[in-house]
Amino acid sequence: VYNISTTHTPGFEANIDQKDYTQARKNFLWFGGTGAVLKGLDRVLDVFDQRDDISLYVCGPIRNNNDFFELYEYVLYENENIHPMGWTDIRSSRFKRLTEKCGYILYPSATEGSSGAIAACRWRGVVPIVTKEVLAETDGWGVTMPDDSLSTIESVVTEYSQIDPDELAAMTEANYEAART
C-alpha cells in the first residue's frame, strides 16, 4: 500500500473560529457517492432512525440506487432529524453551509481509502468519524471506529454528540491543521 496525498481545491479553507460547536456536535454529515451500502449509509440511517436528539445530513446520489432508496425512503423522509440533501457539489454554497453546521462526517465505509469526500470535509473543518478502511489512524483529530456494527456507530455517535464544545473545537482545529499539512 502506497499512501498518496489527496488534493484540495483553493477556497476550501474553513473559518473554524466562527463555528458554533455546541450545535455542531449534534449535527453529522454522511457525504458519499454511489454504493451507499458499501459506504455504510444503511447502518447510519438505522442508527439515526432511532434518535431525535441529533441530526444527520445525507449528501449523495441515493436516488440512483433504486433498491436502496425504496428500502430507506421512509427513513429519509419521515424523520425530522434526517435531511436528504441529494448530490452536493463541494464547491457549492450548500456544501459550505453544511460543513459550517456539522461537527462530524460519519462514514463507516467498507470500501474507501482516504476518500475525496473525507478530504473535502476535513478541509472545511469537519471531523471524520470513520472505519479503518477509510483512515486507519486519526491521531486525535478524528475517530477511527473499531468496527462498523450498529452498536459501535450508536456508541460513538452518542459519545461525540455529548462532548464538551471546547473539545470538539480542539479536534476541529487539529483536523484542519492535519488536512492542511
Side-chain angles (χ1 to χ4, degrees):
V1 175
Y2 296 95
N3 292 324
I4 60 170
S5 296
T6 51
T7 59
H8 121 275
T9 302
F12 260 38
E13 290 76 12
N15 189 354
I16 59 176
D17 295 335
Q18 301 299 314
K19 199 166 197 163
D20 180 348
Y21 292 101
T22 300
Q23 292 301 312
R25 67 185 174 165
K26 302 280 187 187
N27 294 311
F28 295 77
L29 178 65
W30 183 92
F31 185 72
T34 57
V37 172
L38 289 173
K39 295 176 181 178
L41 181 56
D42 56 331
R43 291 180 303 284
V44 170
L45 289 173
D46 287 344
V47 168
F48 279 79
D49 186 33
Q50 304 302 313
R51 304 288 297 260
D52 61 5
D53 59 322
I54 53 178
S55 293
L56 174 68
Y57 295 84
V58 179
C59 296
I62 53 177
R63 288 182 179 261
N64 292 359
N65 184 332
N66 292 334
D67 292 338
F68 180 86
F69 185 73
E70 191 174 297
L71 184 61
Y72 281 96
E73 182 177 16
Y74 79 96
V75 175
L76 287 159
Y77 292 97
E78 298 299 323
N79 286 293
E80 290 185 19
N81 67 317
I82 298 175
H83 311 280
M85 308 301 292
W87 180 256
T88 303
D89 188 319
I90 61 173
R91 295 174 302 265
S92 69
S93 59
R94 175 197 277 184
F95 182 71
K96 182 179 179 186
R97 284 191 309 273
L98 285 169
T99 57
E100 289 169 350
K101 175 182 267 229
C102 295
Y104 311 98
I105 177 169
L106 181 58
Y107 209 61
S109 179
T111 63
E112 299 293 316
S114 189
S115 81
I118 299 298
C121 289
R122 290 186 61 212
W123 266 99
R124 292 288 309 148
V126 181
V127 174
I129 298 176
V130 296
T131 50
K132 66 183 180 299
E133 289 79 10
V134 179
L135 286 169
E137 296 294 329
T138 54
D139 296 326
W141 47 257
V143 180
T144 301
M145 296 183 286
D147 59 65
D148 63 355
S149 68
L150 289 175
S151 60
T152 295
I153 295 169
E154 170 73 27
S155 174
V156 169
V157 162
T158 298
E159 177 183 350
Y160 285 92
S161 69
Q162 297 173 358
I163 68 169
D164 185 276
D166 291 336
E167 187 176 342
L168 176 55
M171 286 179 73
T172 300
E173 185 168 338
N175 169 52
Y176 182 63
E177 289 303 317
R180 289 178 52 196
T181 58

